[in-house]
Amino acid sequence: MKPIPFEAGWRSPSNIAFVKYWGKKGHQLPANPSLSMTLKECVSETFVTFAPADSLKVELFLEGNKEEKFASKIQKYIETLTDFPELKNVHYTIKTKNTFPHGTGIASSASGLSAFALCLTDYLYAMNPGKNFFQDASSFSRLASGSACRSVYGGFTTWGDESDLYASPFEVHAEMAHLKDSVLVISGEEKKVSSTAGHGRMTSHPFAEARYAQAKINFKLMASALKSGDIETMGKILESEALTLHSMFMTSPEAYTLLRPNTIAAIDMIWNFRQETKLPLYFTLDAGPNLHLIYPESAQNKIKTFISHELTPFTERIIEDERGEGPQKC
Ligand code: DP6
């Protein structure tokens, strides 16, 4: 099919994994199932102009500034989509911005790449409509960045359970429907080891198989805790997943750590607070030093006071987020 002139725009959120995707097989397929909560405030807004051309060309502007590095990443990604020749002879102009501040160490790949994949799916559907827009958008997102495939739905999503190719929405108990996520930005510095490089280190990791087996068990426990509204089990698995992920970094043959002294200090404070107050405040970590504090809306008053009085000194800033409704066309 011949390329057509087209414009698309999507706002797409980031997500935080409760059970982590860490390790790949085949072409961008997960070594274990993962489960995440889609966020509300950490969002990328992306507009793409598709212009028929003699060859593939990508220009990308992030907050108005031309970005060669991201443009070449997107170009390489489009080149891998060989089943879609209509993507080839196109000049892409991508204008994107994030609602969360740049350089805070908050992953923008899930939101940014899902927003782009949604635009791409819009374009392909304009020429040849398919049956399941979001499933296809999730597949395209996955091929750009694994965790991005879970951002195309609101609420909670799974990936690697129903399918390895795309994420699926996951219904939870009413208690879990309004979880908060206060993101403690411990350091906004760029990571020493990217997630993609980190996944690669799992292939020679002595504990890889044990980790995949544990993740499968944790996935089942987490899914059932979210369905039944069992916040204690949810929190226990959430923290175990975060600490296991970082243990994998530290015990890989080429060892590294992304934790900072203030990450550990804040974790200690959270554990003490929970022991003293019995309030349901739990943490998780992405591949970085920043803590996502997860708690139900019903307990937010005391927890927010604790966060702002006791944890602020360990942070560069705090981003208040919560469970969101998923992407929107714009
Ligand atoms: C620790 O999705 O960033 O955030 O597929 O190589 O782009 P690529 O990796 P990426 O890995 C995310 C890993 C994680 C856990 C998670 O989100 O499940």
Side-chain angles (χ1 to χ4, degrees):
M1 199 165 290
K2 274 187 115 179
I4 54 165
F6 193 73
E7 277 179 24
W10 279 87
R11 281 169 63 83
S12 190
S14 190
N15 68 76
I16 178 70
F18 281 28
V19 177
K20 310 291 179 185
Y21 146 58
W22 198 246
K24 304 187 193 198
K25 60 184 186 195
H27 181 43
Q28 273 297 102
L29 300 171
N32 64 263
S34 60
L35 197 162
S36 62
M37 180 172 85
T38 298
L39 299 179
K40 185 175 176 186
E41 304 297 339
C42 292
V43 169
S44 298
E45 190 176 278
T46 301
F47 293 93
V48 183
T49 308
F50 302 79
D54 293 337
S55 60
L56 170 63
K57 186 174 172 201
V58 178
E59 275 188 297
L60 187 145
F61 299 86
L62 173 63
E63 259 119 51
N65 301 313
K66 199 166 175 170
E67 291 277 349
E68 306 286 355
K69 205 174 103 197
F70 292 146
S72 113
K73 200 179 162 189
I74 297 274
Q75 173 137 357
K76 287 204 182 91
Y77 159 63
I78 298 169
E79 280 164 0
T80 65
L81 304 174
T82 47
D83 287 347
F84 300 91
E86 55 272 56
L87 298 177
K88 243 170 76 186
N89 289 337
V90 177
H91 180 167
Y92 298 78
T93 308
I94 306 168
K95 292 185 180 153
T96 186
K97 61 180 187 203
N98 299 322
T99 54
F100 45 102
H102 206 52
T104 48
I106 302 300
S108 55
S109 68
S111 55
L113 291 169
S114 59
F116 178 71
L118 284 154
C119 293
L120 211 59
T121 315
D122 246 353
Y123 171 65
L124 290 171
Y125 269 52
M127 285 179 277
N128 188 12
K131 287 201 184 74
N132 199 331
F133 180 86
F134 287 100
Q135 193 166 296
D136 288 338
S138 180
S139 249
F140 282 122
S141 303
R142 181 199 108 237
L143 292 165
S145 175
S147 54
C149 80
R150 298 185 310 238
S151 277
V152 307
Y153 297 106
F156 287 80
T157 65
T158 66
W159 172 39
D161 181 38
E162 274 180 36
S163 173
D164 282 348
L165 302 176
Y166 46 80
S168 311
F170 182 77
E171 288 301 321
V172 299
H173 191 275
E175 275 289 302
M176 305 290 186
H178 301 288
L179 291 182
K180 298 277 174 192
D181 178 0
S182 298
V183 188
L184 305 190
V185 179
I186 304 283
S187 165
E189 262 178 48
E190 199 162 323
K191 294 188 266 200
K192 283 175 289 190
V193 180
S194 74
S195 285
T196 305
H199 284 287
R201 293 191 190 183
M202 283 298 277
T203 48
S204 55
H205 200 296
F207 306 144
E209 289 310 319
R211 162 60 194 158
Y212 301 146
Q214 180 214 35
K216 281 178 195 143
I217 295 170
N218 280 351
F219 178 88
K220 286 210 163 69
L221 293 170
M222 178 63 81
S224 102
L226 288 170
K227 283 233 178 277
S228 64
D230 178 353
I231 192 109
E232 235 175 88
T233 304
M234 183 284 289
K236 194 173 148 207
I237 306 299
L238 186 77
E239 294 190 352
S240 156
E241 277 292 304
L243 295 173
T244 305
L245 175 73
H246 283 260
S247 308
M248 297 311 284
F249 305 161
M250 290 190 267
T251 52
S252 79
E254 253 186 288
Y256 62 109
T257 185
L258 301 177
L259 299 175
R260 290 281 158 273
N262 277 347
T263 315
I264 308 284
I267 289 176
D268 238 5
M269 301 279 291
I270 293 161
W271 279 340
N272 286 338
F273 173 80
R274 200 164 69 226
Q275 202 165 23
E276 279 163 20
T277 62
K278 310 285 178 237
L279 288 170
L281 170 64
Y282 301 94
F283 70 84
T284 188
L285 291 151
D286 254 340
N290 305 320
L291 285 155
H292 287 249
L293 304 197
I294 307 293
Y295 50 95
E297 192 176 38
S298 53
Q300 69 172 330
N301 290 347
K302 284 191 180 141
I303 289 177
K304 282 208 161 134
T305 307
F306 163 70
I307 293 173
S308 69
H309 288 177
E310 308 289 337
L311 297 181
T312 306
F314 300 108
T315 68
E316 282 179 6
R317 62 184 294 153
I318 297 176
I319 299 173
E320 294 298 349
D321 213 326
E322 60 188 304
R323 174 195 169 280
E325 297 301 327
Q328 279 176 331
K329 210 170 156 66
C330 48

